[in-house]
């Protein structure tokens, strides 16, 4: 089966007063129909920038996509003009942003913001768009949807605002939904509700999802495949079950060890990852994780390892076999 979306060697730089930021360093991924792909990594690793680049939403300047391809329906999205991307953005590929508090326009009603995409992309009349907007709010679980169309964002709670953002993203029946840490600013109960909502909508609408997060627990619930990013590189890619059962990159191992577990005793301390991520203005010559890695060998300091298969469907960028502790 041909992938629905294929990203090849995407490389993004930001030109700042301090120098060039190496934000995304040649990442590749494939997304198939009805598949959920999780992208995991700590803040600043390039997760959001890579997907904003796919959507054509990074500010240029200071940002610049210096290499790569993003293929969708036989077209390279990076070569399209802005008006061509506007036809795809929201209609074929939609995005839910990180912060529901600031993603909605505070001076426009929810109804106005929901119906705009429907009239632009779907050619609906005002009455048709309003009817569809009511259906969308009902679908994402907002009570009295007909009445709430006249309300403004400040009249909704954080969880309800995020539901509105999801409704807006789903308005034009996109084939791909990109969710950029949509539960980060919400409390744990609301996070669980939003995740269950997305899972049910995915199953009902058969859409593909890219879920960006730093939370491996969320990935376990939602994703089919997982990409782990560090310092703008993909360091591991596999299916979600293998990631938890047989992680092969030291960074993935460290992330999993730092997760709270119900079987820990009260005296057990959570594991931490020593040190700090590298400065993206001046990446080291070797592996960017080497200075924090318990498995580091001399080769790691000299050359950055490529992403290579360790078994079918499982690729890792590491010079060391973590199962033996020796070189691969």
């Amino acid at each position: 089966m041909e992938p629905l979306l294929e990203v090849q060697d995407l490389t993004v730089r930001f030109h700042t007063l301090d120098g060039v930021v190496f934000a995304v360093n040649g990442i590749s991924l494939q997304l198939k129909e009805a598949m959920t792909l999780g992208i995991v990594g700590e803040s600043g690793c390039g997760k959001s920038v890579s997907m904003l680049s796919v959507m054509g939403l990074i500010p240029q300047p200071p940002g610049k996509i210096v290499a790569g391809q993003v293929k969708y329906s036989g077209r390279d999205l990076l070569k399209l003009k802005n008006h061509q991307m506007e036809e795809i953005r929201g209609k074929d590929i939609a995005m839910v942003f990180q912060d529901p508090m600031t993603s909605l326009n505070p001076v426009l009603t929810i109804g106005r913001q929901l119906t705009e995409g429907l009239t632009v992309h779907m050619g609906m009349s005002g009455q048709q768009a309003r009817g569809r907007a009511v259906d969308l709010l009902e679908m994402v679980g907002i009570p009295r949807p007909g009445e709430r169309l006249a309300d403004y964002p400040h009249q909704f709670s954080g969880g309800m605002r995020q539901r509105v953002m999801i409704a807006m993203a789903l308005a034009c029946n996109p084939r791909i939904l990109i969710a950029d840490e949509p539960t980060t600013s919400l409390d744990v109960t609301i996070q669980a509700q939003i995740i269950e909502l997305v899972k049910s909508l995915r199953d009902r609408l058969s859409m593909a999802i890219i879920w960006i997060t730093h939370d491996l627990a969320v990935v376990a619930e939602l994703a089919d495949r997982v990409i782990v990013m560090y310092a703008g590189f993909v360091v591991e890619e596999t299916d979600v079950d293998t990631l938890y059962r047989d992680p092969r990159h030291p960074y993935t191992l460290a992330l999993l060890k730092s997760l709270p577990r119900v079987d820990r005793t009260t005296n057990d301390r959570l594991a931490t990852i020593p040190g700090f991520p590298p400065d993206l203005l001046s990446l080291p010559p070797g592996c960017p994780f080497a200075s924090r890695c318990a498995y580091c060998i001399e080769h790691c300091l000299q050359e950055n390892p490529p992403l290579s298969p360790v078994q079918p469907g499982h690729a890792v960028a590491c010079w060391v076999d973590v199962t033996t502790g020796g070189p691969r």
Side-chain angles (χ1 to χ4, degrees):
M1 181 191 296
E2 283 291 313
L4 182 59
L5 180 75
E6 186 172 15
V7 177
Q8 297 178 343
D9 196 32
L10 179 65
T11 306
V12 184
R13 303 284 182 258
F14 284 89
H15 296 268
T16 71
L17 293 176
D18 294 324
V20 178
V21 178
F22 293 77
V24 180
N25 302 303
I27 75 162
S28 299
L29 61 87
Q30 290 187 348
L31 183 72
K32 296 181 179 178
E33 295 271 2
M35 169 182 159
T36 300
L37 174 69
I39 302 181
V40 179
E42 59 198 81
S43 297
C45 73
K47 307 183 302 293
S48 297
V49 170
S50 58
M51 290 302 106
L52 288 171
S53 301
V54 166
M55 295 290 286
L57 291 175
I58 64 164
Q60 300 187 59
K64 186 177 182 182
I65 300 170
V66 298
Q69 292 182 320
V70 178
K71 294 181 180 177
Y72 171 75
S73 293
R75 307 165 80 186
D76 184 354
L77 300 186
L78 301 184
K79 293 182 178 178
L80 299 185
K81 298 189 182 301
N82 193 47
H83 72 274
Q84 294 173 306
M85 271 305 297
E86 286 175 355
E87 295 173 4
I88 293 172
R89 195 186 299 131
K91 183 181 180 183
D92 294 327
I93 307 175
M95 192 163 184
V96 179
F97 295 96
Q98 203 170 120
D99 187 359
M101 311 301 176
T102 58
S103 298
L104 292 165
N105 191 322
V107 300
L108 297 179
T109 64
I110 293 298
R112 168 73 184 279
Q113 296 183 64
L114 267 170
T115 56
E116 182 178 11
L118 295 167
T119 55
V120 170
H121 289 303
M122 310 291 278
M124 292 185 178
S125 66
Q127 186 175 355
Q128 289 172 322
R130 180 180 170 81
R132 169 70 171 156
V134 171
D135 291 342
L136 287 164
L137 290 184
E138 186 174 20
M139 182 170 65
V140 297
I142 292 182
R144 309 187 320 278
E147 299 173 28
R148 301 306 307 264
L149 288 181
D151 289 344
Y152 290 85
H154 73 269
Q155 294 172 275
F156 288 74
S157 68
M160 288 298 179
R161 268 184 282 220
Q162 196 58 283
R163 289 172 183 264
V164 171
M165 289 296 299
I166 292 170
M168 289 176 65
L170 299 179
C172 300
N173 298 319
R175 298 177 72 192
I176 300 171
L177 175 68
I178 299 173
D180 185 5
E181 302 206 45
T183 61
T184 296
S185 58
L186 306 176
D187 67 54
V188 175
T189 305
I190 304 301
Q191 283 185 32
Q193 291 175 4
I194 295 296
I195 291 166
E196 285 304 314
L197 170 64
V198 170
K199 285 167 67 176
S200 66
L201 293 173
R202 173 195 63 189
D203 296 340
R204 190 192 315 177
L205 303 174
S206 296
M207 65 183 171
I209 296 175
I210 297 175
W211 188 281
I212 302 167
T213 184
H214 62 271
D215 189 344
L216 279 167
V218 171
V219 168
E221 283 193 63
L222 200 60
D224 301 308
R225 288 190 66 79
V226 185
I227 283 174
V228 181
M229 289 188 66
Y230 186 80
F233 296 93
V234 174
V235 295
E236 185 158 11
E237 179 183 1
T238 186
D239 65 88
V240 69
D241 291 335
T242 302
L243 186 85
Y244 287 86
R245 187 184 69 253
D246 187 23
R248 293 295 189 93
H249 194 279
Y251 178 58
T252 311
L253 281 167
L255 286 178
L256 289 169
K257 286 178 181 176
S258 69
L259 282 177
R261 295 173 58 101
V262 293
D263 57 355
R264 289 186 194 272
T265 68
T266 53
N267 294 326
D268 285 344
R269 295 177 63 88
L270 287 176
T272 59
I273 304 175
F276 299 94
D279 185 352
L280 296 182
L281 287 164
S282 55
L283 286 171
C287 172
F289 189 62
S291 64
R292 310 173 74 186
C293 181
Y295 296 85
C296 180
I297 59 175
E298 187 65 28
H299 195 180
C300 303
L301 301 172
Q302 299 167 353
E303 185 181 359
N304 193 14
L307 191 67
S308 306
V310 290
Q311 57 190 25
H314 190 175
V316 175
C318 187
W319 295 121
V320 178
D321 182 347
V322 296
T323 61
T324 64
R328 273 204 301 125

